[in-house]
Amino acid sequence: MQEAELHDLSDDADYAASQLQGSASFSRSGSSKRSSSSESDGAEIVYSKDNVTIHPTQYASERISGRLRLIKQGSSLFMTWIPYKGQRSNPRLSEKDKSLYTIRAVPFTDVRSIRRHTPTLGWQYVIVVLSSGLAFPPLYFYNGGVREFLATIKQHAFLVRSADDANVFLVNDFQDPLQRTLSSLELPMAVSVANGPSTSVSVSEPPSNENQEKADGGNFDGLGATSQYNGRHRPKIHDPARDLSIQVLEKFSLVTKFARDTTSQLFRESHGDGFGSNDRRHHNQSLLDSPHKASSDEQKVPDEIPVPSDPLEKTRCRKQYHDEEAVTNVGTFELIDCKEFDKLALVWGKPRQPPLGSEEWATFLDSEGRIMDSKALRKRIFYGGIEHSLRKEVWTFLLGYHAYDSTSAEREYLVSIKKSEYETVKQQWQSISPEQAKRFTKFRERKGLIEKDVVRTDRSLSFYDGDDNPNVYLLRDILLTYSFYNFDLGYCQGMSDLLSPILFVMKDEAESFWCFVALMERLGPNFNRDQNGMHTQLFAISKLVELLDSPLHNYFKQNDCLNYFFCFRWVLIQFKREFEYEKTMKLWEVLWTHYLSEHLHLYVCVAILKRYRNKIMGEQMDFDTLLKFINELSGQIDLDATLRDAEALCICAGENGAANIPPGTPPSLPIDSGLLCPQQDDIL
């Protein structure tokens, strides 16, 4: 029985306005009638819909409305979505921000599938998934029109309903034999898309939201999908073991020819048979070791293949003065504390400093324990980190558990209050009897996942080592309590990786819990079912690479690597598995300062890719080889050099870099009060 997915409309200005503004215009060409309006010579608008809206975040004030069109030119069909100019319902976003979401003349030869969803309450929406694995943000039809949208596409392109999911409509699906190979691996099916040439179509921006269409009463079922933007819709799934992110990524490092086409589908689809354990991995491993290894059959690429130069590199230079500047194709910037150009690294990043110690920490506090200059403190931590003995105290400020301007007495009082609150929430699941648990499926599923994950989290550390280790039980209790504290989000694989260092540092159950809560307010979208938070960040990485290293971006484009799924594990758990434990904690506290950017982790991703760009491009790595190579970098990355590079890239990108990161991209803190990640979930 399908359960309702609730959309709160009580504070939705766009929804109220849509009820007052009447019906939207809809035009579709007939067999003997052509549209009177065309975008260019030979182009015909076959579908036009006003008041189609994108939800960048869960906040109604940040929604962006625009006009959706289907345009026929020759034998090609294109889709466009242009936001309205001067939209009063979204004062927080500039025109530049809105332009990030503009969809301009996308040919349907580049579209893999269209997903439609019709919630019991709220609006119908569709998600258009590209053959690259990326997806456009969900398009909400405030006044209906989805049925006509799909019908028009079917008139002009090959559109069929998926045999595996009636809620998915496949575009240009010609039943490639690849699908039979995938079915033997028990992986979600991927669709082969015929890629045709893109015809240029000029699109004019609509001046206003003037016409709307009557609400569509059609009853197509739909489902959620991933998006490259930070929308907040929630898909329906039926797999309790939906947390595929890390295990599946590792598994795909072994897949060869077909990984490029299936990786994006795998992370987009969460349904399956609940087979997410090691048994599934071993089962698939035997299949993956069979002779389907295209990459091993290929001849080795000679080392002398020319690699395009890094556009940010400057020829050999020697630092003479502190105000020396370097001119690149992305701007002019200062070279900081650089003595000699290093071919293996960007050179203008500031050298790292010793970690913050107790004596220096005391200089930041006044007589009552307030931090007098939080920016100076964050800058100091950004360049040096923190001595381990101080982390328990300082992390609470970096994570937002304690306010910088709070006194020692106020913090003491807050700790006592929060300890009581924690015990109250913990008691909720501790009081569930075995008989109740039999009738509480969601609790049993989450408890089982948590117990399975904590026993394999950082067991090489003495803090978590050994049988019946009390700290492992604390991990379990905190994660179970969090699943009741934030029942909508619950528990997802990877959360134990984020909690482990916090408990290791805090060594207190209640304080660890509240620090974890504060961290999840920033990183919660990483674990949303629709993967919007992840895809937003992967999209931002692609835009930053395009800005800061266009040859590398073009290489990824030519090799079908633009989905950037090889960065998935980096982003999901903040490089937890890429560095040693101590270095991970150092990296996290640098990221938490938000000193240069709250999205420094994205520049860290770019810095690592640039550090290995010559190897990636010189060896002509395809998606499968690249994914395996990235996974095998674990434990081999120089953290200090990477941080210097990331700092340099962030400074170099400047406002252009910030403009390429969509609003609401994690770990952005919520604008309004309340939880960051409310979700519509089939909880019970």
Side-chain angles (χ1 to χ4, degrees), residues 428-429 432-447 483-484 487 683-684:
Q428 292 177 7
W429 64 265
I432 297 175
S433 67
E435 286 300 315
Q436 287 177 304
K438 290 179 182 179
R439 296 182 293 275
F440 198 166
T441 303
K442 184 64 69 176
F443 171 69
R444 295 197 314 272
E445 290 170 352
R446 289 178 174 176
K447 186 172 184 288
S483 74
F484 272 70
F487 212 103
I683 296 173
L684 299 176

Side-chain angles (χ1 to χ4, degrees), residues 49-104:
K49 184 67 176 176
D50 279 298
N51 209 28
V52 176
T53 303
I54 285 174
H55 299 179
T57 71
Q58 71 266 39
Y59 305 111
S61 60
E62 297 187 1
R63 292 170 185 168
I64 308 172
S65 294
R67 179 175 297 154
L68 177 68
R69 283 176 172 173
L70 296 175
I71 301 170
K72 185 72 179 294
Q73 186 173 48
S75 60
S76 300
L77 184 67
F78 299 85
M79 182 185 77
T80 68
W81 180 86
I82 310 295
Y84 298 124
K85 285 187 175 180
Q87 184 181 342
R88 290 180 298 173
S89 62
N90 194 346
R92 299 191 186 191
L93 295 181
S94 65
E95 293 300 326
K96 181 183 293 186
D97 291 333
K98 294 178 187 178
S99 68
L100 285 174
Y101 297 91
T102 300
I103 302 172
R104 295 184 182 275

Side-chain angles (χ1 to χ4, degrees), residues 199-249:
T199 309
S200 175
V201 177
S202 61
V203 181
S204 58
E205 297 188 6
S208 65
N209 172 356
E210 57 197 20
N211 294 317
Q212 298 174 350
E213 184 183 1
K214 292 182 180 178
D216 177 18
N219 192 25
F220 283 84
D221 288 331
L223 79 170
T226 56
S227 169
Q228 62 190 13
Y229 296 96
N230 199 18
R232 289 285 183 254
H233 64 282
R234 299 292 170 262
K236 299 292 291 182
I237 65 171
H238 304 285
D239 179 11
R242 66 186 182 277
D243 310 306
L244 303 171
S245 307
I246 298 172
Q247 290 185 12
V248 175
L249 188 64

